[in-house]
Amino acid sequence: LMGDKVLARLKAQPETQRIPVVVISADATRSKIDKLLAAGAHSYLTKPFNIKELLHTVDTLLEEVRMHKDDNPSF
C-alpha cells in the first residue's frame, strides 16, 4: 500500500487513530506534504533522511503523547 492509504486506514480506525504517524517519502513536493499533514500525519521527512532528525522527531512526538496522557488519560 502507498503511504497515504496506510495513513487513511490508521486514522479511520478508533484503535489506531491517535497513533502519531511520521511519513518518510522521496516525494518532497509541498502539495504532497500538505495533503498528508492534513490527513493526519504528525510529521513528514523526505528521503534520504538523517537518522538524527528521525530520532529527534520520534522523541518529540513521544513527549507530546506523554504530555497529552497527563492531561487526558483516554489519549
Side-chain angles (χ1 to χ4, degrees):
L1 290 174
M2 298 296 291
D4 53 344
K5 291 184 189 320
V6 172
L7 178 62
R9 285 186 181 189
L10 287 170
K11 296 304 174 183
Q13 299 299 317
E15 303 84 21
T16 57
Q17 66 186 1
R18 294 184 179 167
I19 295 173
V21 176
V22 177
V23 174
I24 301 173
S25 175
D27 186 346
T29 59
R30 187 79 244 164
S31 62
K32 181 69 169 191
I33 294 169
D34 290 344
K35 178 183 173 187
L36 289 166
L37 292 173
H42 291 78
S43 186
Y44 190 99
L45 300 174
T46 55
K47 294 178 187 177
F49 63 92
N50 179 304
I51 191 68
K52 288 182 181 180
E53 183 181 10
L54 174 61
L55 293 173
H56 174 73
T57 299
V58 171
D59 284 344
T60 300
L61 289 173
L62 288 173
E63 184 60 32
E64 288 177 20
V65 168
R66 280 188 215 101
M67 288 179 7
H68 284 296
K69 280 194 173 218
D70 291 342
D71 296 339
N72 182 0
S74 65
F75 189 147

